[in-house]
Amino acid sequence: MRKVLLRSAAVGAFAALGLLASGVPAGASAESKGTDPVGAPDAGTPTVQVTKLSHSQATSRLRSSGITWSSSGGCSNRNNPRCTSFEQVNLATIQGAQTLKSASRCALNVTGGTETGHASGTYSHWNGYKLDFSLSNCLNSYIRNTFTSIGGNKWRSGSGNIYYLESNHWDVTYYNCGGC
C-alpha cells in the first residue's frame, strides 16, 4: 500500500510540474528532421529523474572535464540549427559525456546538442537526451572495442546508452549518466 501511495504521490508531483511520466516537459517542441533512429531504451535500461541544465551550466561542466564543443554557425541559439546549444539538456546527458571522457581518455568535441534540426522523438536532442560527437580514431576505437554491437551501426554501453555511428559523427543517446 505504501508503494502505491508513494507512486501516486510521484505521479501527482510530475503532473503538478507539467511533466510527462517520462520526465519530458509537457508540450515540448518536436524537432524538424524526422524520426529518431535509436528510439526508446530496452525494458531493462535503467532511467533517472530528469534534471534540466542551462547552456551556461552545461558548458561549465563540459569545460571542467576538458570536453570541447563547436558549431557550424559559431553560436549557441537553440532555435538555430547551425548552432550547438545545451539549453535544456539533461544533467544525466552531460554527466554521460563526462563519464565517456573519463573512461575513454579520448579528446571529445560536441557538435550537436539541444538545438533544433535533429530527428524528433521522446529521447531526442531537443528533449535533452542526445549529443553528437566528432569522429576520432580514439573515440571510434573505444566505442567499438568496449561496447556491444547491436547492429545497424549501433553499440550499447553496459549502462544501456546507445552510440550510433552516423556518416560524420557519433550520435549518442544518454538514458542515464553511464555509471557516474
Side-chain angles (χ1 to χ4, degrees):
M1 177 70 167
R2 182 180 167 118
K3 263 188 180 175
V4 172
L5 290 175
L6 289 174
R7 180 169 164 72
S8 295
V11 170
F14 277 120
L17 292 171
L19 299 176
L20 302 175
S22 65
V24 177
S29 298
E31 299 172 79
S32 62
K33 197 177 163 187
T35 304
D36 183 351
V38 174
D42 291 341
T45 302
T47 58
V48 297
Q49 183 176 350
V50 175
T51 299
K52 299 292 185 177
L53 299 178
S54 69
H55 181 81
S56 176
Q57 290 169 321
T59 58
S60 177
R61 286 176 173 271
L62 293 172
R63 189 178 296 111
S64 74
S65 295
I67 300 171
T68 61
W69 58 96
S70 58
S71 73
S72 58
C75 50
S76 62
N77 181 342
R78 186 170 196 221
N79 295 305
N80 181 340
R82 292 180 39 83
C83 298
T84 297
S85 175
F86 301 112
E87 193 63 39
Q88 294 298 302
V89 71
N90 297 338
L91 172 60
T93 299
I94 297 301
Q95 290 172 325
Q98 292 174 300
T99 300
L100 177 63
K101 168 71 175 167
S102 176
S104 70
R105 299 185 178 172
C106 296
L108 294 182
N109 182 59
V110 181
T111 59
T114 61
E115 65 280 348
T116 191
H118 298 278
S120 63
T122 300
Y123 298 97
S124 64
H125 281 272
W126 181 264
N127 288 335
Y129 288 90
K130 288 180 165 251
L131 295 176
D132 289 342
F133 294 100
S134 298
L135 299 178
S136 71
N137 289 336
C138 181
L139 186 58
N140 299 350
S141 178
Y142 179 80
I143 291 169
R144 287 178 172 144
N145 294 320
T146 307
F147 302 144
T148 302
S149 175
I150 57 173
N153 282 337
K154 297 176 195 167
W155 284 259
R156 180 182 294 115
S157 70
S159 63
N161 296 324
I162 303 294
Y163 293 75
Y164 177 44
L165 179 59
E166 294 195 26
S167 61
N168 62 354
H169 67 275
W170 285 101
D171 177 275
V172 183
T173 308
Y174 289 104
Y175 301 113
N176 58 66
C177 67
C180 61

